[in-house]
Amino acid sequence: MVTIKEIAKSVGVSSATVSRVLNYDPALSISPAKRQAIIETAEALNYETPRNRNKANGQAAPSLLTKLVIVHFLEPSDEIADPYYVGVRLGIESRCRDLRTEIVKVFHSDALPEASLLAGASGVIVIGKHSDNEIAWLSKNAPHVIFADFDPRSDLIDSVFSDVGLATCKILDALKSSGYKRIGFIGSHENLNGTVQHFAERRCVAYIDWHKKNGTFAPELLALSDCSSGQSLRLETGYRLARDLLSLTDRPDVIVTSNDNMAIGTYRAIQEFGLSIPADIGVISFNDIPVAQFLTPSLTTVRIHGEHIGETAVDLLLERLSGRSYGKQVRIATELVWRDSCRKPLESLSL
């Protein structure tokens, strides 16, 4: 039976680091390459946590979920570099190990998956955004399809996600209560169905609607890119768009970024302009990736519970396999984690 010590020796890290990676400890700071090596080594050696081994020894009843196909909207290199989406997948895989379910992973490519990959599967869990064409193809070729971290906005399709639009509005309310006047936003347009849908990304929509409702919308404070995924692209995009905002004659006094990777790029731009966070300008973001708490200053960000989203997706599939015939959509609450990158209101708002 493979042990954590053997995995640690194989990768060249401590046993404690292996344990924290396999349990997706959000406080762990580790390079994407090392994280990937640990996960891949554990998978190659068929490592099981003590909890899973104990359940197996207890001879749990056979699961209805014998084979699961995970379809991901990212390429492997992009996914492993984004701790949030690693968390979603690990949530799915952890729940499936409890059930002793076979897992087949299909990552993003320019073509639709081979139908043969879905053969014999009890169902499919789809991670992230997919086009209408992809949704239709999956629905036709799989007995059950569950979407994780994406809401296709159909009453017939099961999905589990967090409402980042609602979270954006609560961020803006909190920043207003903290005394911020000019709130900038860095994000991207929506890339879906093969086209760029301008100003359609959920955080962006919420930002515009909130400001128009409050009579404070200033288009020059909205900085958007056409990019959608890719770690290095997000970092560079955040840096470039932040420089645009900081170059304004009347620059923002706080910047909201649509993900933590963009926030890292924003930090660099602010430093190059000779400004101080949060004394001169605040920064707040989304995802709460592990490195967020180790930035200087530590990053205030919305924690989206990716692992819980993954676990809930498996539970939705089990409900379908048990006979549920109606569509079900589950919203997982977010949490605003206040750190040192912006002023905190006197009464923090719960997300």
Side-chain angles (χ1 to χ4, degrees):
M1 187 172 295
V2 179
T3 65
I4 283 180
K5 186 176 180 180
E6 290 172 307
I7 298 172
K9 182 178 179 180
S10 177
V11 180
V13 297
S14 69
S15 297
T17 297
V18 172
S19 177
R20 293 175 70 183
V21 167
L22 296 181
N23 285 285
Y24 194 61
D25 183 350
L28 177 64
S29 179
I30 187 173
S31 70
K34 280 292 185 184
R35 186 185 297 274
Q36 181 177 13
I38 292 169
I39 293 172
E40 290 182 347
T41 300
E43 290 177 346
L45 297 176
N46 293 317
Y47 172 77
E48 288 187 307
T49 63
R51 181 182 66 176
N52 293 334
R53 290 198 296 269
N54 292 337
K55 288 189 176 183
N57 293 334
Q59 296 181 339
S63 169
L64 294 171
L65 182 53
T66 56
K67 178 181 177 181
L68 170 70
V69 176
I70 299 175
V71 176
H72 211 304
F73 84 115
L74 292 176
E75 297 178 0
S77 59
D78 288 334
E79 189 247 22
I80 205 67
D82 192 327
Y84 170 71
Y85 283 109
V86 171
V88 175
R89 177 169 60 83
L90 290 182
I92 296 170
E93 293 178 352
S94 174
R95 190 76 174 88
C96 285
R97 280 195 296 270
D98 290 346
L99 300 167
R100 307 191 69 79
T101 300
E102 176 190 354
I103 298 175
V104 175
K105 287 173 278 192
V106 180
F107 286 90
H108 174 77
S109 67
D110 293 331
L112 292 169
E114 291 290 337
S116 59
L117 292 173
L118 309 184
S122 304
V124 174
I125 293 180
V126 185
I127 299 176
K129 297 183 294 185
H130 283 72
S131 68
D132 293 344
N133 184 44
E134 291 167 329
I135 294 171
W137 185 91
L138 288 165
S139 299
K140 178 181 178 181
N141 287 278
H144 302 288
V145 180
I146 314 295
F147 284 85
D149 196 58
F150 177 59
D151 178 15
R153 300 189 180 278
S154 169
D155 288 340
L156 302 177
I157 299 176
D158 287 3
S159 59
V160 50
F161 54 92
S162 289
D163 190 339
V164 295
L166 175 63
T168 300
C169 290
K170 291 189 174 182
I171 283 176
L172 296 171
D173 287 338
L175 292 176
K176 181 180 178 181
S177 297
S178 298
Y180 288 107
K181 303 296 184 183
R182 287 180 61 78
I183 304 173
F185 179 85
I186 290 176
S188 64
H189 297 291
E190 186 70 277
N191 291 283
L192 201 58
N193 294 320
T195 61
V196 176
Q197 301 174 15
H198 293 282
F199 310 106
E201 195 274 327
R202 289 175 295 168
R203 298 169 184 83
C204 176
V205 170
Y207 172 87
I208 293 173
D209 288 347
W210 185 91
H211 276 286
K212 287 185 175 179
K213 180 180 178 180
N214 284 271
T216 54
F217 182 56
E220 70 275 10
L221 295 179
L222 184 62
L224 303 177
S225 168
D226 291 343
C227 79
S228 57
S229 64
Q231 173 87 345
S232 61
L233 187 58
R234 285 177 173 176
L235 291 170
E236 288 301 316
T237 301
Y239 169 74
R240 176 174 55 82
L241 295 178
R243 288 189 64 88
D244 291 342
L245 291 181
L246 296 171
S247 297
L248 295 172
T249 301
D250 189 7
R251 65 172 179 255
D253 52 7
V254 65
I255 295 176
V256 180
T257 66
S258 62
N259 59 67
D260 291 342
N261 294 328
M262 283 185 165
I264 294 171
T266 298
Y267 266 48
R268 177 185 167 192
I270 291 171
Q271 291 165 0
E272 289 184 358
F273 270 72
L275 301 174
S276 175
I277 305 171
D280 299 315
I281 187 168
V283 180
I284 189 168
S285 186
F286 283 85
N287 286 359
D288 193 28
I289 63 176
V291 74
Q293 63 183 312
F294 297 108
L295 296 177
T296 304
S298 56
L299 178 63
T300 297
T301 181
V302 173
R303 179 176 296 156
I304 304 177
H305 298 280
E307 194 163 357
H308 295 324
I309 287 175
E311 292 171 349
T312 303
V314 177
D315 292 339
L316 287 173
L317 180 52
L318 288 171
E319 290 179 10
R320 282 289 194 180
L321 293 171
S322 297
R324 177 169 55 81
S325 59
Y326 55 89
K328 188 173 183 180
Q329 295 79 43
V330 177
R331 179 170 65 86
I332 303 296
T334 58
E335 176 187 357
L336 181 51
V337 181
W338 288 99
R339 296 195 178 103
D340 300 324
S341 62
C342 65
R343 295 193 301 271
K344 183 179 180 179
L346 294 179
E347 294 185 5
S348 300
L349 297 177
S350 172
L351 297 189

